[in-house]
Amino acid sequence: MKKELDLIKDCGQKILAISDTMEILNGKWKMSIIACLCYKPMRYSELLKEVKGISGKVLSRELKDLEINELIEREVLTTAPVAVEYRITDYGTSLKQLTDTIADWGFIHRQRIISGMKTG
Amino acid sequence: MKKELDLIKDCGQKILAISDTMEILNGKWKMSIIACLCYKPMRYSELLKEVKGISGKVLSRELKDLEINELIEREVLTTAPVAVEYRITDYGTSLKQLTDTIADWGFIHRQRIISGMKTG
DNA sequence: CAGAATCCAACGGGATACTG
DNA sequence: CAGTATCCCGTTGGATTCTG
């Protein structure tokens, strides 16, 4: 009985922690952007190509959000036609494992779908 | 050079997989619900208490979504005042590691916030 | 190239009241 | 108890245009 209560209590803390994370990583794009920048620094236009489906406006906002949370850094390169490079921060790399786990599950889920939704 | 291209290509697949996952687990509540039901089966009202902040309407919809994706099961208990129990499915338990990773990061992030946003 | 501005549609999500 | 229905708002997100 007490053991059950402990479980619930523990569960409560976990729920809170998950809510925290989902608050930071809301929207469908942030994890993709993070994963992208974990590979290498990229420019705005590169991200626009790599993160398929995202629009310019949304990419701008998401990048700002991520920068505010210190997950990525923005550097303006004073080159000829002006370039901006986005990089993952040390703190941002702490999300790498998370992106890996999410990607892994995505693969599995896709396999499950294309294998015809065989009844589990 | 080629190596870089490979990286990008690989990155592309990962981005897709992440998009897939985020499509299924969109909204701020689904992961919390999954994590909750990983502890033990729960009734609607229990979830309403455990998943702090969620409203009845949203909980209903999220539960339906999760059921459609075969991540949870719903059983109506023919008891006196009618009870409904939600359980995680085998497939749903494949998300347990993900909820753990997300929760871990949430803890870390909270620590970082309350420690005053120390740089680095 | 890197965005900001504007417009608009769709969805997420809260509050309340109602049903079986 | 376990939802559903309704209203209503803020956000998300796409398309397009404009700017430095």
Side-chain angles (χ1 to χ4, degrees):
Chain A
M1 304 299 152
K2 272 194 191 153
K3 214 173 145 202
E4 295 239 344
L5 285 179
D6 283 348
L7 273 180
I8 297 306
K9 185 159 165 272
D10 194 28
C11 175
Q13 294 303 310
K14 187 171 174 181
I15 303 303
L16 280 182
I18 290 177
S19 295
D20 285 351
T21 305
M22 299 313 270
E23 203 79 17
I24 307 293
L25 305 176
N26 57 4
K28 15 179 216 177
W29 303 112
K30 290 205 180 64
M31 289 307 302
S32 294
I33 295 171
I34 295 278
C36 234
L37 294 180
C38 276
Y39 277 92
K40 72 181 188 77
M42 286 193 197
R43 303 222 312 270
Y44 181 84
S45 53
E46 287 182 281
L47 283 167
L48 216 45
K49 279 187 308 178
E50 288 297 325
V51 184
K52 292 173 189 6
I54 198 171
S55 71
K57 188 185 73 170
V58 175
L59 178 57
S60 292
R61 186 182 40 214
E62 302 292 70
L63 287 171
K64 268 182 210 158
D65 282 359
L66 293 174
E67 196 188 356
I68 287 174
N69 282 299
E70 300 180 26
L71 295 168
I72 65 172
E73 282 171 349
R74 179 179 183 276
E75 183 183 7
V76 181
L77 308 174
T78 57
T79 50
V82 176
V84 177
E85 192 171 88
Y86 291 94
R87 269 192 311 272
I88 193 100
T89 62
D90 282 348
Y91 186 43
T93 57
S94 69
L95 281 170
K96 183 163 191 332
Q97 192 201 337
L98 187 49
T99 67
D100 288 342
T101 309
I102 290 177
D104 286 349
W105 195 86
F107 280 123
I108 294 175
H109 185 73
R110 173 160 290 197
Q111 290 306 315
R112 194 166 183 274
I113 297 293
I114 64 183
S115 76
M117 292 296 245
K118 297 288 173 56
T119 60
Chain B
M1 302 301 152
K2 275 196 188 153
K3 213 171 144 203
E4 294 238 344
L5 286 179
D6 283 348
L7 273 180
I8 298 306
K9 187 157 164 273
D10 195 26
C11 174
Q13 294 302 310
K14 187 171 175 182
I15 304 303
L16 281 182
I18 290 176
S19 294
D20 285 353
T21 305
M22 299 312 271
E23 203 79 17
I24 307 292
L25 304 176
N26 57 3
K28 17 178 212 177
W29 304 111
K30 290 204 180 63
M31 289 308 302
S32 294
I33 295 171
I34 295 278
C36 234
L37 294 179
C38 276
Y39 276 93
K40 73 181 186 78
M42 286 193 196
R43 304 223 309 272
Y44 181 84
S45 52
E46 286 182 284
L47 284 166
L48 216 44
K49 278 187 310 179
E50 288 298 325
V51 184
K52 293 178 190 359
I54 198 170
S55 71
K57 188 184 75 172
V58 175
L59 178 56
S60 293
R61 188 191 5 183
E62 301 293 71
L63 287 171
K64 268 182 210 157
D65 282 359
L66 293 174
E67 197 189 353
I68 287 174
N69 282 298
E70 299 180 26
L71 294 169
I72 65 171
E73 281 171 350
R74 180 178 182 273
E75 182 184 7
V76 180
L77 308 174
T78 58
T79 50
V82 177
V84 178
E85 194 172 88
Y86 292 95
R87 270 194 309 273
I88 193 103
T89 62
D90 282 349
Y91 186 43
T93 57
S94 68
L95 281 169
K96 184 165 189 330
Q97 192 202 338
L98 187 49
T99 67
D100 289 342
T101 308
I102 290 177
D104 286 348
W105 194 86
F107 281 123
I108 294 175
H109 184 74
R110 171 160 293 198
Q111 289 307 314
R112 195 167 183 275
I113 297 293
I114 64 183
S115 78
M117 294 294 245
K118 295 288 173 55
T119 60

mmCIF file of all heavy atoms in Angstrom, chain A residues 24-68:
data_model
loop_
_atom_site.group_PDB
_atom_site.id
_atom_site.type_symbol
_atom_site.label_atom_id
_atom_site.label_comp_id
_atom_site.label_asym_id
_atom_site.label_seq_id
_atom_site.Cartn_x
_atom_site.Cartn_y
_atom_site.Cartn_z
ATOM 1 N N ILE A 24 9.431 23.496 -22.933
ATOM 2 C CA ILE A 24 10.568 24.049 -23.662
ATOM 3 C C ILE A 24 10.567 23.591 -25.119
ATOM 4 O O ILE A 24 10.882 24.356 -26.020
ATOM 5 C CB ILE A 24 11.897 23.588 -23.008
ATOM 6 C CG1 ILE A 24 11.897 23.905 -21.514
ATOM 7 C CG2 ILE A 24 13.077 24.235 -23.707
ATOM 8 C CD1 ILE A 24 11.921 25.352 -21.209
ATOM 9 N N LEU A 25 10.210 22.339 -25.307
ATOM 10 C CA LEU A 25 10.347 21.743 -26.638
ATOM 11 C C LEU A 25 9.015 21.642 -27.365
ATOM 12 O O LEU A 25 8.810 20.741 -28.179
ATOM 13 C CB LEU A 25 10.981 20.356 -26.507
ATOM 14 C CG LEU A 25 12.321 20.343 -25.768
ATOM 15 C CD1 LEU A 25 12.819 18.930 -25.598
ATOM 16 C CD2 LEU A 25 13.333 21.192 -26.514
ATOM 17 N N ASN A 26 8.104 22.552 -27.071
ATOM 18 C CA ASN A 26 6.783 22.497 -27.695
ATOM 19 C C ASN A 26 6.865 22.763 -29.195
ATOM 20 O O ASN A 26 7.878 23.215 -29.699
ATOM 21 C CB ASN A 26 5.863 23.514 -27.014
ATOM 22 C CG ASN A 26 6.446 24.918 -27.082
ATOM 23 O OD1 ASN A 26 7.477 25.148 -27.696
ATOM 24 N ND2 ASN A 26 5.779 25.838 -26.442
ATOM 25 N N GLY A 27 5.788 22.482 -29.870
ATOM 26 C CA GLY A 27 5.801 22.593 -31.322
ATOM 27 C C GLY A 27 6.422 21.355 -31.938
ATOM 28 O O GLY A 27 7.094 20.588 -31.264
ATOM 29 N N LYS A 28 6.213 21.191 -33.228
ATOM 30 C CA LYS A 28 6.720 19.958 -33.819
ATOM 31 C C LYS A 28 8.135 20.098 -34.352
ATOM 32 O O LYS A 28 8.728 19.140 -34.806
ATOM 33 C CB LYS A 28 5.831 19.448 -34.959
ATOM 34 C CG LYS A 28 4.815 20.406 -35.529
ATOM 35 C CD LYS A 28 4.046 19.729 -36.657
ATOM 36 C CE LYS A 28 3.713 20.710 -37.758
ATOM 37 N NZ LYS A 28 3.030 20.129 -38.902
ATOM 38 N N TRP A 29 8.695 21.294 -34.274
ATOM 39 C CA TRP A 29 9.940 21.518 -35.001
ATOM 40 C C TRP A 29 11.197 21.564 -34.138
ATOM 41 O O TRP A 29 12.292 21.283 -34.611
ATOM 42 C CB TRP A 29 9.835 22.826 -35.779
ATOM 43 C CG TRP A 29 8.682 22.855 -36.717
ATOM 44 C CD1 TRP A 29 7.565 23.645 -36.619
ATOM 45 C CD2 TRP A 29 8.490 22.057 -37.892
ATOM 46 N NE1 TRP A 29 6.713 23.394 -37.653
ATOM 47 C CE2 TRP A 29 7.251 22.426 -38.460
ATOM 48 C CE3 TRP A 29 9.251 21.072 -38.517
ATOM 49 C CZ2 TRP A 29 6.767 21.833 -39.618
ATOM 50 C CZ3 TRP A 29 8.760 20.487 -39.665
ATOM 51 C CH2 TRP A 29 7.534 20.876 -40.196
ATOM 52 N N LYS A 30 11.063 21.941 -32.871
ATOM 53 C CA LYS A 30 12.265 22.235 -32.081
ATOM 54 C C LYS A 30 13.221 21.061 -32.005
ATOM 55 O O LYS A 30 14.431 21.224 -32.153
ATOM 56 C CB LYS A 30 11.868 22.691 -30.674
ATOM 57 C CG LYS A 30 11.220 24.068 -30.674
ATOM 58 C CD LYS A 30 11.370 24.756 -29.339
ATOM 59 C CE LYS A 30 10.709 26.123 -29.362
ATOM 60 N NZ LYS A 30 9.251 26.057 -29.564
ATOM 61 N N MET A 31 12.682 19.878 -31.765
ATOM 62 C CA MET A 31 13.573 18.723 -31.667
ATOM 63 C C MET A 31 14.292 18.475 -32.986
ATOM 64 O O MET A 31 15.470 18.091 -33.001
ATOM 65 C CB MET A 31 12.777 17.475 -31.258
ATOM 66 C CG MET A 31 12.289 17.478 -29.825
ATOM 67 S SD MET A 31 13.596 17.781 -28.616
ATOM 68 C CE MET A 31 14.718 16.439 -28.997
ATOM 69 N N SER A 32 13.604 18.700 -34.084
ATOM 70 C CA SER A 32 14.240 18.510 -35.386
ATOM 71 C C SER A 32 15.376 19.505 -35.585
ATOM 72 O O SER A 32 16.456 19.147 -36.083
ATOM 73 C CB SER A 32 13.208 18.668 -36.505
ATOM 74 O OG SER A 32 12.246 17.641 -36.445
ATOM 75 N N ILE A 33 15.130 20.727 -35.201
ATOM 76 C CA ILE A 33 16.162 21.756 -35.343
ATOM 77 C C ILE A 33 17.381 21.407 -34.490
ATOM 78 O O ILE A 33 18.524 21.481 -34.946
ATOM 79 C CB ILE A 33 15.613 23.134 -34.943
ATOM 80 C CG1 ILE A 33 14.510 23.550 -35.920
ATOM 81 C CG2 ILE A 33 16.714 24.173 -34.921
ATOM 82 C CD1 ILE A 33 13.752 24.798 -35.513
ATOM 83 N N ILE A 34 17.108 21.032 -33.249
ATOM 84 C CA ILE A 34 18.203 20.633 -32.357
ATOM 85 C C ILE A 34 19.003 19.498 -32.963
ATOM 86 O O ILE A 34 20.241 19.551 -33.031
ATOM 87 C CB ILE A 34 17.636 20.172 -30.984
ATOM 88 C CG1 ILE A 34 16.954 21.326 -30.270
ATOM 89 C CG2 ILE A 34 18.728 19.568 -30.129
ATOM 90 C CD1 ILE A 34 17.873 22.236 -29.538
ATOM 91 N N ALA A 35 18.298 18.473 -33.424
ATOM 92 C CA ALA A 35 18.980 17.316 -33.998
ATOM 93 C C ALA A 35 19.847 17.745 -35.167
ATOM 94 O O ALA A 35 20.988 17.288 -35.320
ATOM 95 C CB ALA A 35 17.962 16.271 -34.442
ATOM 96 N N CYS A 36 19.306 18.630 -35.990
ATOM 97 C CA CYS A 36 20.028 19.128 -37.152
ATOM 98 C C CYS A 36 21.322 19.810 -36.724
ATOM 99 O O CYS A 36 22.390 19.529 -37.273
ATOM 100 C CB CYS A 36 19.151 20.122 -37.888
ATOM 101 S SG CYS A 36 18.912 19.759 -39.614
ATOM 102 N N LEU A 37 21.223 20.686 -35.766
ATOM 103 C CA LEU A 37 22.394 21.457 -35.342
ATOM 104 C C LEU A 37 23.368 20.618 -34.534
ATOM 105 O O LEU A 37 24.504 21.030 -34.298
ATOM 106 C CB LEU A 37 21.953 22.691 -34.551
ATOM 107 C CG LEU A 37 21.167 23.727 -35.366
ATOM 108 C CD1 LEU A 37 20.765 24.900 -34.500
ATOM 109 C CD2 LEU A 37 21.988 24.193 -36.553
ATOM 110 N N CYS A 38 22.910 19.432 -34.085
ATOM 111 C CA CYS A 38 23.831 18.530 -33.410
ATOM 112 C C CYS A 38 24.814 17.945 -34.420
ATOM 113 O O CYS A 38 25.915 17.530 -34.061
ATOM 114 C CB CYS A 38 23.073 17.398 -32.707
ATOM 115 S SG CYS A 38 22.477 17.840 -31.067
ATOM 116 N N TYR A 39 24.410 17.909 -35.675
ATOM 117 C CA TYR A 39 25.301 17.391 -36.710
ATOM 118 C C TYR A 39 26.380 18.395 -37.055
ATOM 119 O O TYR A 39 27.552 18.084 -37.077
ATOM 120 C CB TYR A 39 24.509 17.032 -37.972
ATOM 121 C CG TYR A 39 23.895 15.666 -37.893
ATOM 122 C CD1 TYR A 39 22.607 15.500 -37.409
ATOM 123 C CD2 TYR A 39 24.616 14.549 -38.280
ATOM 124 C CE1 TYR A 39 22.047 14.246 -37.318
ATOM 125 C CE2 TYR A 39 24.064 13.285 -38.194
ATOM 126 C CZ TYR A 39 22.786 13.134 -37.719
ATOM 127 O OH TYR A 39 22.233 11.896 -37.612
ATOM 128 N N LYS A 40 25.928 19.610 -37.297
ATOM 129 C CA LYS A 40 26.904 20.660 -37.590
ATOM 130 C C LYS A 40 26.201 22.010 -37.577
ATOM 131 O O LYS A 40 24.981 22.074 -37.710
ATOM 132 C CB LYS A 40 27.554 20.422 -38.950
ATOM 133 C CG LYS A 40 26.653 20.676 -40.140
ATOM 134 C CD LYS A 40 27.397 20.388 -41.426
ATOM 135 C CE LYS A 40 26.617 20.808 -42.665
ATOM 136 N NZ LYS A 40 26.644 22.252 -42.917
ATOM 137 N N PRO A 41 26.953 23.090 -37.397
ATOM 138 C CA PRO A 41 26.356 24.416 -37.451
ATOM 139 C C PRO A 41 25.743 24.639 -38.825
ATOM 140 O O PRO A 41 26.236 24.106 -39.824
ATOM 141 C CB PRO A 41 27.550 25.344 -37.229
ATOM 142 C CG PRO A 41 28.558 24.516 -36.525
ATOM 143 C CD PRO A 41 28.392 23.144 -37.076
ATOM 144 N N MET A 42 24.690 25.399 -38.862
ATOM 145 C CA MET A 42 24.023 25.631 -40.144
ATOM 146 C C MET A 42 23.536 27.062 -40.237
ATOM 147 O O MET A 42 23.328 27.732 -39.248
ATOM 148 C CB MET A 42 22.819 24.700 -40.295
ATOM 149 C CG MET A 42 23.172 23.271 -40.572
ATOM 150 S SD MET A 42 21.758 22.328 -41.108
ATOM 151 C CE MET A 42 22.397 20.673 -40.839
ATOM 152 N N ARG A 43 23.326 27.464 -41.466
ATOM 153 C CA ARG A 43 22.770 28.781 -41.702
ATOM 154 C C ARG A 43 21.254 28.670 -41.823
ATOM 155 O O ARG A 43 20.696 27.581 -41.965
ATOM 156 C CB ARG A 43 23.374 29.360 -42.986
ATOM 157 C CG ARG A 43 24.902 29.426 -42.930
ATOM 158 C CD ARG A 43 25.434 30.715 -43.505
ATOM 159 N NE ARG A 43 24.835 31.013 -44.799
ATOM 160 C CZ ARG A 43 25.335 30.600 -45.957
ATOM 161 N NH1 ARG A 43 26.433 29.863 -45.970
ATOM 162 N NH2 ARG A 43 24.749 30.913 -47.084
ATOM 163 N N TYR A 44 20.659 29.827 -41.773
ATOM 164 C CA TYR A 44 19.200 29.899 -41.844
ATOM 165 C C TYR A 44 18.658 29.129 -43.043
ATOM 166 O O TYR A 44 17.755 28.299 -42.925
ATOM 167 C CB TYR A 44 18.794 31.365 -41.912
ATOM 168 C CG TYR A 44 17.321 31.629 -41.959
ATOM 169 C CD1 TYR A 44 16.567 31.674 -40.791
ATOM 170 C CD2 TYR A 44 16.678 31.843 -43.169
ATOM 171 C CE1 TYR A 44 15.218 31.936 -40.838
ATOM 172 C CE2 TYR A 44 15.324 32.096 -43.223
ATOM 173 C CZ TYR A 44 14.597 32.149 -42.060
ATOM 174 O OH TYR A 44 13.262 32.396 -42.101
ATOM 175 N N SER A 45 19.234 29.414 -44.195
ATOM 176 C CA SER A 45 18.721 28.790 -45.424
ATOM 177 C C SER A 45 18.968 27.287 -45.442
ATOM 178 O O SER A 45 18.183 26.531 -46.010
ATOM 179 C CB SER A 45 19.371 29.437 -46.651
ATOM 180 O OG SER A 45 20.773 29.421 -46.523
ATOM 181 N N GLU A 46 20.049 26.861 -44.809
ATOM 182 C CA GLU A 46 20.316 25.422 -44.740
ATOM 183 C C GLU A 46 19.257 24.724 -43.900
ATOM 184 O O GLU A 46 18.727 23.671 -44.278
ATOM 185 C CB GLU A 46 21.694 25.168 -44.124
ATOM 186 C CG GLU A 46 22.861 25.512 -45.030
ATOM 187 C CD GLU A 46 24.177 25.176 -44.359
ATOM 188 O OE1 GLU A 46 24.619 25.974 -43.494
ATOM 189 O OE2 GLU A 46 24.771 24.153 -44.683
ATOM 190 N N LEU A 47 18.965 25.330 -42.773
ATOM 191 C CA LEU A 47 17.946 24.754 -41.898
ATOM 192 C C LEU A 47 16.602 24.684 -42.616
ATOM 193 O O LEU A 47 15.851 23.722 -42.491
ATOM 194 C CB LEU A 47 17.821 25.585 -40.619
ATOM 195 C CG LEU A 47 18.935 25.363 -39.607
ATOM 196 C CD1 LEU A 47 18.920 26.442 -38.541
ATOM 197 C CD2 LEU A 47 18.799 23.993 -38.961
ATOM 198 N N LEU A 48 16.336 25.723 -43.379
ATOM 199 C CA LEU A 48 15.077 25.774 -44.123
ATOM 200 C C LEU A 48 14.966 24.587 -45.077
ATOM 201 O O LEU A 48 13.870 24.076 -45.320
ATOM 202 C CB LEU A 48 15.015 27.090 -44.905
ATOM 203 C CG LEU A 48 13.662 27.783 -45.054
ATOM 204 C CD1 LEU A 48 12.901 27.808 -43.752
ATOM 205 C CD2 LEU A 48 13.871 29.204 -45.560
ATOM 206 N N LYS A 49 16.107 24.154 -45.597
ATOM 207 C CA LYS A 49 16.090 22.999 -46.501
ATOM 208 C C LYS A 49 16.038 21.689 -45.722
ATOM 209 O O LYS A 49 15.296 20.771 -46.082
ATOM 210 C CB LYS A 49 17.348 23.005 -47.386
ATOM 211 C CG LYS A 49 17.269 23.935 -48.571
ATOM 212 C CD LYS A 49 18.480 23.744 -49.472
ATOM 213 C CE LYS A 49 19.790 23.843 -48.695
ATOM 214 N NZ LYS A 49 20.984 23.610 -49.507
ATOM 215 N N GLU A 50 16.837 21.617 -44.672
ATOM 216 C CA GLU A 50 16.980 20.359 -43.948
ATOM 217 C C GLU A 50 15.732 19.983 -43.157
ATOM 218 O O GLU A 50 15.317 18.833 -43.150
ATOM 219 C CB GLU A 50 18.186 20.429 -43.000
ATOM 220 C CG GLU A 50 19.520 20.384 -43.686
ATOM 221 C CD GLU A 50 19.734 19.078 -44.427
ATOM 222 O OE1 GLU A 50 19.267 18.046 -43.952
ATOM 223 O OE2 GLU A 50 20.373 19.116 -45.494
ATOM 224 N N VAL A 51 15.180 20.959 -42.487
ATOM 225 C CA VAL A 51 13.970 20.699 -41.704
ATOM 226 C C VAL A 51 12.779 20.825 -42.649
ATOM 227 O O VAL A 51 12.149 21.864 -42.763
ATOM 228 C CB VAL A 51 13.842 21.687 -40.537
ATOM 229 C CG1 VAL A 51 12.645 21.345 -39.676
ATOM 230 C CG2 VAL A 51 15.100 21.677 -39.702
ATOM 231 N N LYS A 52 12.501 19.717 -43.308
ATOM 232 C CA LYS A 52 11.523 19.759 -44.390
ATOM 233 C C LYS A 52 10.114 20.100 -43.905
ATOM 234 O O LYS A 52 9.610 19.498 -42.976
ATOM 235 C CB LYS A 52 11.521 18.426 -45.115
ATOM 236 C CG LYS A 52 12.818 18.190 -45.880
ATOM 237 C CD LYS A 52 12.892 16.826 -46.464
ATOM 238 C CE LYS A 52 14.298 16.545 -47.023
ATOM 239 N NZ LYS A 52 15.311 17.585 -46.749
ATOM 240 N N GLY A 53 9.539 21.086 -44.571
ATOM 241 C CA GLY A 53 8.157 21.433 -44.269
ATOM 242 C C GLY A 53 8.020 22.697 -43.446
ATOM 243 O O GLY A 53 6.941 23.279 -43.385
ATOM 244 N N ILE A 54 9.096 23.105 -42.820
ATOM 245 C CA ILE A 54 8.997 24.283 -41.960
ATOM 246 C C ILE A 54 8.991 25.560 -42.811
ATOM 247 O O ILE A 54 9.629 25.601 -43.870
ATOM 248 C CB ILE A 54 10.153 24.322 -40.938
ATOM 249 C CG1 ILE A 54 9.814 25.275 -39.781
ATOM 250 C CG2 ILE A 54 11.455 24.722 -41.613
ATOM 251 C CD1 ILE A 54 10.792 25.199 -38.629
ATOM 252 N N SER A 55 8.260 26.550 -42.363
ATOM 253 C CA SER A 55 8.215 27.815 -43.095
ATOM 254 C C SER A 55 9.203 28.795 -42.472
ATOM 255 O O SER A 55 9.652 28.606 -41.343
ATOM 256 C CB SER A 55 6.809 28.396 -43.037
ATOM 257 O OG SER A 55 6.537 28.866 -41.740
ATOM 258 N N GLY A 56 9.521 29.829 -43.218
ATOM 259 C CA GLY A 56 10.493 30.794 -42.746
ATOM 260 C C GLY A 56 10.100 31.448 -41.443
ATOM 261 O O GLY A 56 10.902 31.576 -40.531
ATOM 262 N N LYS A 57 8.842 31.828 -41.363
ATOM 263 C CA LYS A 57 8.391 32.523 -40.166
ATOM 264 C C LYS A 57 8.551 31.648 -38.938
ATOM 265 O O LYS A 57 9.077 32.078 -37.910
ATOM 266 C CB LYS A 57 6.923 32.941 -40.299
ATOM 267 C CG LYS A 57 6.472 33.830 -39.178
ATOM 268 C CD LYS A 57 4.995 34.146 -39.259
ATOM 269 C CE LYS A 57 4.156 32.955 -38.894
ATOM 270 N NZ LYS A 57 2.730 33.306 -38.736
ATOM 271 N N VAL A 58 8.086 30.399 -39.075
ATOM 272 C CA VAL A 58 8.138 29.480 -37.943
ATOM 273 C C VAL A 58 9.587 29.186 -37.567
ATOM 274 O O VAL A 58 9.922 29.169 -36.385
ATOM 275 C CB VAL A 58 7.389 28.184 -38.279
ATOM 276 C CG1 VAL A 58 7.535 27.184 -37.160
ATOM 277 C CG2 VAL A 58 5.924 28.501 -38.536
ATOM 278 N N LEU A 59 10.432 28.987 -38.573
ATOM 279 C CA LEU A 59 11.835 28.728 -38.276
ATOM 280 C C LEU A 59 12.437 29.883 -37.477
ATOM 281 O O LEU A 59 13.134 29.667 -36.490
ATOM 282 C CB LEU A 59 12.619 28.508 -39.573
ATOM 283 C CG LEU A 59 14.118 28.263 -39.394
ATOM 284 C CD1 LEU A 59 14.365 27.080 -38.484
ATOM 285 C CD2 LEU A 59 14.804 28.059 -40.739
ATOM 286 N N SER A 60 12.140 31.103 -37.875
ATOM 287 C CA SER A 60 12.636 32.262 -37.143
ATOM 288 C C SER A 60 12.224 32.207 -35.680
ATOM 289 O O SER A 60 13.043 32.360 -34.779
ATOM 290 C CB SER A 60 12.084 33.549 -37.754
ATOM 291 O OG SER A 60 12.614 33.766 -39.023
ATOM 292 N N ARG A 61 10.954 31.972 -35.469
ATOM 293 C CA ARG A 61 10.459 31.989 -34.096
ATOM 294 C C ARG A 61 11.067 30.874 -33.268
ATOM 295 O O ARG A 61 11.483 31.081 -32.133
ATOM 296 C CB ARG A 61 8.937 31.883 -34.078
ATOM 297 C CG ARG A 61 8.374 32.053 -32.676
ATOM 298 C CD ARG A 61 6.864 31.905 -32.665
ATOM 299 N NE ARG A 61 6.426 30.847 -33.528
ATOM 300 C CZ ARG A 61 5.280 30.875 -34.212
ATOM 301 N NH1 ARG A 61 4.524 31.937 -34.167
ATOM 302 N NH2 ARG A 61 4.911 29.857 -34.946
ATOM 303 N N GLU A 62 11.127 29.690 -33.860
ATOM 304 C CA GLU A 62 11.679 28.559 -33.130
ATOM 305 C C GLU A 62 13.137 28.809 -32.768
ATOM 306 O O GLU A 62 13.570 28.486 -31.661
ATOM 307 C CB GLU A 62 11.553 27.281 -33.973
ATOM 308 C CG GLU A 62 10.132 26.940 -34.368
ATOM 309 C CD GLU A 62 9.261 26.532 -33.218
ATOM 310 O OE1 GLU A 62 8.942 27.424 -32.393
ATOM 311 O OE2 GLU A 62 8.883 25.357 -33.134
ATOM 312 N N LEU A 63 13.881 29.371 -33.702
ATOM 313 C CA LEU A 63 15.290 29.658 -33.437
ATOM 314 C C LEU A 63 15.429 30.654 -32.292
ATOM 315 O O LEU A 63 16.292 30.515 -31.430
ATOM 316 C CB LEU A 63 15.968 30.192 -34.701
ATOM 317 C CG LEU A 63 16.226 29.148 -35.794
ATOM 318 C CD1 LEU A 63 16.686 29.810 -37.080
ATOM 319 C CD2 LEU A 63 17.238 28.114 -35.324
ATOM 320 N N LYS A 64 14.541 31.638 -32.277
ATOM 321 C CA LYS A 64 14.565 32.605 -31.176
ATOM 322 C C LYS A 64 14.282 31.931 -29.844
ATOM 323 O O LYS A 64 14.993 32.152 -28.855
ATOM 324 C CB LYS A 64 13.517 33.694 -31.423
ATOM 325 C CG LYS A 64 14.055 34.906 -32.155
ATOM 326 C CD LYS A 64 12.955 35.949 -32.303
ATOM 327 C CE LYS A 64 13.143 36.784 -33.551
ATOM 328 N NZ LYS A 64 11.897 37.421 -33.997
ATOM 329 N N ASP A 65 13.245 31.105 -29.837
ATOM 330 C CA ASP A 65 12.905 30.386 -28.610
ATOM 331 C C ASP A 65 14.103 29.586 -28.108
ATOM 332 O O ASP A 65 14.452 29.637 -26.929
ATOM 333 C CB ASP A 65 11.737 29.433 -28.865
ATOM 334 C CG ASP A 65 10.398 30.164 -28.892
ATOM 335 O OD1 ASP A 65 10.393 31.397 -28.702
ATOM 336 O OD2 ASP A 65 9.369 29.506 -29.100
ATOM 337 N N LEU A 66 14.722 28.858 -29.019
ATOM 338 C CA LEU A 66 15.838 28.000 -28.635
ATOM 339 C C LEU A 66 17.020 28.831 -28.145
ATOM 340 O O LEU A 66 17.731 28.425 -27.226
ATOM 341 C CB LEU A 66 16.261 27.122 -29.820
ATOM 342 C CG LEU A 66 15.223 26.075 -30.243
ATOM 343 C CD1 LEU A 66 15.656 25.362 -31.514
ATOM 344 C CD2 LEU A 66 15.000 25.066 -29.122
ATOM 345 N N GLU A 67 17.194 29.999 -28.745
ATOM 346 C CA GLU A 67 18.300 30.854 -28.330
ATOM 347 C C GLU A 67 18.032 31.405 -26.925
ATOM 348 O O GLU A 67 18.931 31.454 -26.087
ATOM 349 C CB GLU A 67 18.474 31.996 -29.331
ATOM 350 C CG GLU A 67 19.807 32.699 -29.197
ATOM 351 C CD GLU A 67 19.881 33.940 -30.063
ATOM 352 O OE1 GLU A 67 18.927 34.204 -30.825
ATOM 353 O OE2 GLU A 67 20.881 34.670 -29.940
ATOM 354 N N ILE A 68 16.786 31.802 -26.688
ATOM 355 C CA ILE A 68 16.417 32.309 -25.365
ATOM 356 C C ILE A 68 16.702 31.269 -24.294
ATOM 357 O O ILE A 68 17.187 31.583 -23.215
ATOM 358 C CB ILE A 68 14.929 32.709 -25.340
ATOM 359 C CG1 ILE A 68 14.726 34.009 -26.143
ATOM 360 C CG2 ILE A 68 14.422 32.874 -23.919
ATOM 361 C CD1 ILE A 68 13.278 34.410 -26.305
#
